Amino acid sequence: MASFLLRRLLLAVPLALGVVFLTIASLDLIPGDPAALMLGQSATTSAVEELRNSLKLDDPLLVRYFRYVAGLVQGDFGTSFREHRQISAILGETLPFTLQLAASAIAISVLLGIPLGLLSGSRPGSFADGLIRLVSLIGLSMPVFWTGLLLMVFFSVNLGWFPVAGSGTWKHLVLPSVTLALPSLAVVARMTRSGVLEVQREEYIRTAAAKGLGRRSILYKHTLRNALVPVVTALGLELGQMLGGAVLTETVFAWPGIGRLTIYSIFNRDYILVQGLVVVLALIYILINLLIDMSYSLIDPRITYS
Amino acid sequence: MKYRLLAAFASVFLLATSLVFAQSTLTIVRPSDSVSLDPQFDTTSTGTVVFSQILEPLITISHNMEIEPRLATAWEVIDSTRIRFTLRQGVSFHDGTPFNAEAVKFTWDRAFNSEPPGLWASLAGPIKGVEIIDDYTVDIVSTVPYGPLLYSIALPSTGIVSPTAVEALGADFARNPVGTGPFKFVEWRTNDRVVLEANPDYWRGRPALDTVIFRTVPEEGARTLALLAGEADLDIAPSPSSLPTIEGNPDFDVQRVPGIGVFSLNFNLDRPLVSDPSIRHAIAHAIDRELIVETILEGNATVPRSVLGEPVFGFVDMAFDELYPYDPDRAVELLTEAGYERRNDGLMYDANGEVLRLKMLPSNGRIAKDLDVAEIIQEFLRQVGIVVELDVFEWSTTFSLIKGETLDYDMAAWTWFTQTADADYTLYPHYVSTELPPNSWNGSRYSNETVDALAEEGRGSGDLERRAVIYEEIQHQLALDLPTLPIFGLMETAVVSTDIEGFQVHPIQYILELFPVGRR
């Protein structure tokens, strides 16, 4: 296990370096000049040139790449073109909001999705099953900004329970987490349901029933545990998406996380900020995947790593 | 754990007391966050309206577009390169530093002499600097005779900063600005809110509001809902589609004034097809600008009268609707006269049997509905037999194409804001023959000796009356030559709660006057 962990962590280094290179190279390919954008409509060419020089934008690709990596190794993410602030300071302000939102959304999907999937899968064809399947279909198909606005109209404007948008208190967190959780809750419920249905057809379940185990015991100890492996895989993907791609939810609810920051930094061609965000996201993805792989062996001891 | 619980109780208690004692807070929602609270690094309108509460310029532009004193009490145009300002005495910055000629010089030197210069330096034009005459008198001097100088000095970006604070804080000044304005900086939570509090020692008196909160809510639907839920009092960028609902609501007022931006179709005269004036005139007759304003923009725009916005100094009503009324038959006639033949498929063909096909570069997402308008233009032109190909990119790409050395499009559509509110700012860079991209904005590659001479004279003259005549003549010439067809004029719009008094939406989107605002 330890050597597996070490190998995976070491693998993360070339992966991160590759991601940085691809980011810098692809930013180089897309048109749009950050200096011209910053100076706006009335900028003179000489002013743009001067700004480009001071931002060192005209250095060759490889020079910029190695300079950036050299900074990264020393923990320096660089300075934002537009905001003139350390990227680490900007990340320090925004990342916690994204983590908070993703954590509570994942918690909602797990705490509701798995029981619902279990209920639905253990009684296929029942009314509850039909209802859960229908609701999860709706949850999957509703676009996030639409769900978000509906929740706002109902819970904020009509009932006045939660604030429309913004951040600061736990109340601000409720609607965006529910909005973000709905699609993944649906995925988790559906995966759990199909896992449960599949596992229940296995020989060992029949054996367990034959040796006289109770229905509950079979369901929780044998069925659920075996049905969870694909669910955990799906959860990992969902979490990754929530951390990097909660752009719509963050936008609708004015949540100050990194999804919105990423979009703005690309629009403004704030290359250094985009690079910093990509590196952090890549590391988060690598970490999540590692955790998911490790959790497999906890859920199913037959899965081992060496 | 115990302490955390205690802290939680304490914060609940504080929140409760602050709710009880809160006197008057104004919460404003805006679509994007400030880039910086230092004018040096932020020239966006959503950012400028925030820092300009803290940092004040010498003079400003009032709601009826007149120059009004702020930190200067009087000014005198000495000649076309020099304006003398008498400064207000007895004013202090929020940190106690006295306001004087040194501070003015410091602010302007900082913008023009730093490496790289402040972002607003290129807005202000050929400024040489500030010369101190005595402690409370300064001359602001341009390098060449510069007619728009007074308007440059009235830019809200020129807010005077506290020299002590800038020197003490360095780069941190951008998040702790110190000025002389009616409000002081309290807190900035990135992408969430900027909080300001009243400056009790403000020279015009204590503002009526105790606290101003600028919240960033990017989604326009969410901004409207925040108003309806009572979380916000003022939306400075409402979407046109939300306004019909709001207008029926007795708790809110919708304010609109014609603004300084105009969305236009710019013809590239280097391209053979549109270099033919009859094709440009045909296009002008083919587009129903009134219908665009009524339907797509839902009445939140003006039918344009000139290439300049109505409040801009030098604006003259060119009566575009009479010169080029919507008349598709006339458009077809003009095209036929130009040698095109309309065939059974409804399209126009030239002598070689080629379809009349134009390439167009529209702006997308720069202002609300810009792409929709470009698409409807495409449809209007198809109805008179012209095929238009649209190349849609996001704004930063479109921007670099527009500013490219060559432009491989027959037409480009975008919005231009006369940021200084002086006609020179638009007419000179767009229509003087030497002002070509990438250095400047003559994307039409327009060249007319009379216009060149007039624009040059207007830039160099300090005589406002003469300048007004000059700009009228230029606009007449442009209306005839039609290198640019204005499609609609932008309106500045705001939705404000009826609990708020004293608020008035400004024609210049960079100016937001909060000193007279209070709660009823």
Side-chain angles (χ1 to χ4, degrees):
Chain A
M1 191 72 176
S3 77
F4 164 76
L5 212 88
L6 193 66
R7 245 186 311 135
R8 287 288 296 263
L9 285 173
L10 283 178
L11 202 64
V13 175
L15 208 56
L17 288 179
V19 166
V20 172
F21 183 77
L22 282 180
T23 315
I24 296 183
S26 55
L27 285 172
D28 225 41
L29 287 175
I30 53 171
D33 178 355
L37 285 171
M38 278 161 69
L39 288 167
Q41 59 175 22
S42 62
T44 56
T45 328
S46 58
V48 173
E49 274 311 308
E50 209 172 324
L51 190 58
R52 283 189 68 87
N53 279 335
S54 77
L55 297 175
K56 296 184 179 142
L57 281 169
D58 292 325
D59 290 348
L61 179 67
L62 282 177
V63 172
R64 276 178 288 141
Y65 174 68
F66 284 112
R67 190 169 53 220
Y68 187 67
V69 170
L72 271 190
V73 172
Q74 299 163 42
D76 178 10
F77 281 90
T79 309
S80 154
F81 292 165
R82 246 167 89 85
E83 293 192 33
H84 299 265
R85 288 204 293 153
Q86 288 286 313
I87 303 292
S88 45
I90 300 174
L91 287 173
E93 280 170 10
T94 44
L95 193 58
F97 282 103
T98 295
L99 294 178
Q100 217 179 2
L101 184 61
S104 56
I106 271 297
I108 295 174
S109 349
V110 171
L111 294 179
L112 288 178
I114 293 179
L116 286 177
L118 193 61
L119 178 66
S120 160
S122 59
R123 295 192 179 84
S126 68
F127 176 73
D129 179 37
L131 191 69
I132 291 167
R133 283 167 64 193
L134 180 72
V135 171
S136 67
L137 185 68
I138 295 174
L140 260 180
S141 343
M142 289 248 283
V144 161
F145 54 88
W146 178 241
T147 324
L149 288 175
L150 281 184
L151 291 178
M152 277 183 199
V153 169
F154 192 67
F155 289 103
S156 310
V157 179
N158 292 346
L159 293 175
W161 288 359
F162 302 108
V164 170
S167 63
T169 65
W170 67 269
K171 280 192 170 182
H172 285 99
L173 187 59
V174 176
L175 295 185
S177 340
V178 170
T179 307
L180 188 59
L182 275 180
S184 59
L185 194 160
V187 169
V188 169
R190 298 194 137 228
M191 297 283 285
T192 311
R193 177 180 185 274
S194 64
V196 166
L197 283 177
E198 204 172 303
V199 172
Q200 274 182 334
R201 282 195 292 268
E202 296 284 340
E203 303 266 322
Y204 57 81
I205 298 294
R206 198 183 306 157
T207 313
K211 74 179 181 187
L213 281 182
R215 194 181 129 75
R216 276 176 175 234
S217 169
I218 294 175
L219 199 58
Y220 293 125
K221 280 194 183 147
H222 298 268
T223 316
L224 183 59
R225 202 161 174 159
N226 284 297
L228 274 185
V229 172
V231 176
V232 169
T233 312
L235 270 177
L237 291 174
E238 293 290 326
L239 184 61
Q241 264 185 9
M242 282 176 183
L243 288 169
V247 182
L248 287 177
T249 312
E250 290 186 358
T251 304
V252 172
F253 288 97
W255 189 258
I258 57 171
R260 251 166 85 198
L261 191 67
T262 311
I263 292 296
Y264 286 135
S265 60
I266 294 172
F267 281 161
N268 294 320
R269 302 286 189 271
D270 194 341
Y271 296 157
I272 303 286
L273 184 51
V274 178
Q275 289 164 20
L277 287 164
V278 170
V279 170
V280 167
L281 284 177
L283 291 178
I284 289 176
Y285 258 91
I286 292 169
L287 198 70
I288 290 174
N289 277 314
L290 189 60
L291 289 176
I292 296 291
D293 286 349
M294 281 162 55
S295 71
Y296 290 152
S297 63
L298 285 180
I299 297 169
D300 188 342
R302 287 172 301 178
I303 303 174
T304 52
Y305 300 102
S306 56
Chain B
M1 191 63 208
K2 212 185 239 172
Y3 288 106
R4 218 179 274 171
L5 209 62
L6 213 66
F9 273 121
S11 59
V12 168
F13 178 70
L14 279 178
L15 192 73
T17 48
S18 72
L19 284 177
V20 173
F21 294 108
Q23 294 141 4
S24 57
T25 299
L26 175 73
T27 306
I28 300 169
V29 279
R30 55 180 179 148
S32 48
D33 199 10
S34 297
V35 179
S36 168
L37 291 178
D38 186 346
Q40 195 85 348
F41 307 121
D42 190 353
T43 48
T44 62
S45 63
T46 48
T48 305
V49 295
V50 179
F51 68 65
S52 61
Q53 309 304 327
I54 305 163
L55 311 164
E56 285 180 300
L58 297 182
I59 49 176
T60 189
I61 299 173
S62 71
H63 287 97
N64 33 20
M65 302 305 287
E66 279 157 9
I67 305 274
E68 245 184 25
R70 281 292 179 267
L71 285 176
T73 53
W75 55 95
E76 183 194 348
V77 178
I78 307 261
D79 59 46
S80 53
T81 59
R82 180 179 295 267
I83 302 178
R84 179 159 298 171
F85 290 88
T86 311
L87 304 181
R88 200 171 289 283
Q89 304 202 8
V91 175
S92 299
F93 288 98
H94 302 151
D95 62 354
T97 311
F99 163 74
N100 53 26
E102 282 293 336
V104 177
K105 185 167 171 53
F106 180 87
T107 301
W108 284 73
D109 279 355
R110 181 169 176 254
F112 282 84
N113 299 338
S114 53
E115 264 312 312
L119 292 184
W120 62 268
S122 45
L123 270 176
I127 304 288
K128 191 167 159 198
V130 173
E131 290 174 13
I132 297 179
I133 306 299
D134 63 42
D135 269 3
Y136 291 97
T137 313
V138 293
D139 281 0
I140 298 187
V141 187
S142 60
T143 49
V144 291
Y146 192 54
L149 186 57
L150 193 63
Y151 281 93
S152 293
I153 299 166
L155 280 170
S157 303
T158 63
I160 307 298
V161 297
S162 160
T164 343
V166 171
E167 270 156 16
L169 293 167
D172 290 338
F173 184 83
R175 292 180 85 87
N176 298 279
V178 179
T180 60
F183 295 93
K184 296 200 245 186
F185 174 75
V186 178
E187 184 195 17
W188 179 6
R189 296 200 332 237
T190 305
N191 280 336
D192 186 48
R193 62 187 56 203
V194 178
V195 182
L196 312 179
E197 64 176 10
N199 169 12
D201 307 318
Y202 185 50
W203 57 267
R204 280 192 277 178
R206 191 187 204 284
L209 294 166
D210 296 310
T211 310
V212 176
I213 302 172
F214 284 91
R215 285 183 51 186
T216 303
V217 181
E219 226 290 316
E220 49 194 39
R223 284 202 299 280
T224 306
L225 292 176
L227 288 175
L228 293 175
E231 273 174 52
D233 310 299
L234 173 61
D235 181 356
I236 53 171
S239 76
S241 50
S242 72
L243 292 176
T245 6
I246 289 280
E247 257 161 334
N249 189 324
D251 297 334
F252 297 96
D253 285 329
V254 178
Q255 291 191 13
R256 292 187 181 88
V257 289
I260 52 166
V262 175
F263 178 92
S264 337
L265 189 59
N266 301 279
F267 299 105
N268 178 1
L269 305 183
D270 269 0
R271 306 269 292 189
L273 292 174
V274 292
S275 69
D276 179 352
S278 51
I279 291 193
R280 298 200 298 276
H281 290 166
I283 289 174
H285 282 297
I287 300 171
D288 189 346
R289 298 179 293 277
E290 240 166 272
L291 190 76
I292 290 176
V293 167
E294 305 254 297
T295 54
I296 298 183
L297 300 155
E298 304 183 58
N300 296 295
T302 59
V303 180
R305 319 291 300 174
S306 162
V307 293
L308 296 173
E310 286 170 38
V312 173
F313 166 75
F315 163 85
V316 175
D317 186 348
M318 292 286 76
F320 265 96
D321 47 345
E322 284 156 39
L323 277 175
Y324 306 105
Y326 174 57
D327 186 350
D329 294 339
R330 176 78 189 126
V332 170
E333 214 175 285
L334 282 169
L335 291 172
T336 317
E337 281 166 23
Y340 292 90
E341 182 203 354
R342 195 168 200 181
R343 296 203 184 151
N344 287 338
D345 57 3
L347 299 181
M348 288 286 175
Y349 288 82
D350 67 8
N352 304 323
E354 298 273 342
V355 176
L356 177 49
R357 193 183 293 274
L358 301 177
K359 275 180 80 184
M360 174 169 165
L361 181 66
S363 79
N364 171 23
R366 165 112 160 106
I367 57 160
K369 309 276 184 186
D370 50 0
L371 188 57
D372 301 342
V373 172
E375 283 166 354
I376 198 92
I377 289 174
Q378 180 183 37
E379 179 55 27
F380 274 128
L381 295 187
R382 205 195 55 81
Q383 293 195 352
V384 299
I386 303 175
V387 175
V388 175
E389 285 169 19
L390 288 178
D391 267 0
V392 182
F393 306 102
E394 41 110 34
W395 173 242
S396 40
T397 305
T398 309
F399 184 89
S400 37
L401 287 173
I402 291 172
K403 289 284 288 217
E405 204 132 336
T406 53
L407 181 64
D408 294 325
Y409 290 88
D410 299 292
M411 313 183 273
W414 77 84
T415 309
W416 179 265
F417 295 93
T418 310
Q419 254 170 292
T420 58
D422 185 302
D424 170 81
Y425 183 84
T426 298
L427 298 181
Y428 193 96
H430 281 82
Y431 305 110
V432 168
S433 57
T434 50
E435 292 289 302
L436 298 171
N439 292 307
S440 192
W441 280 92
N442 188 351
S444 297
R445 279 80 182 164
Y446 178 68
S447 170
N448 179 307
E449 280 174 24
T450 325
V451 169
D452 283 1
L454 285 168
E456 211 61 64
E457 190 192 340
R459 173 161 282 195
S461 162
D463 176 355
L464 284 186
E465 276 170 41
R466 173 65 194 142
R467 294 186 69 221
V469 174
I470 286 170
Y471 295 129
E472 173 165 7
E473 281 175 36
I474 294 180
Q475 286 168 79
H476 270 294
Q477 193 60 47
L478 293 177
L480 292 178
D481 293 345
L482 217 63
T484 297
L485 175 67
I487 304 292
F488 64 88
L490 271 73
M491 286 258 218
E492 285 312 312
T493 317
V495 176
V496 61
S497 153
T498 45
D499 292 343
I500 302 300
E501 58 183 2
F503 169 76
Q504 215 185 333
V505 66
H506 202 287
I508 301 179
Q509 60 191 9
Y510 298 85
I511 301 183
L512 174 66
E513 183 68 72
L514 289 182
F515 175 70
V517 176
R519 290 201 91 92
R520 276 182 223 281

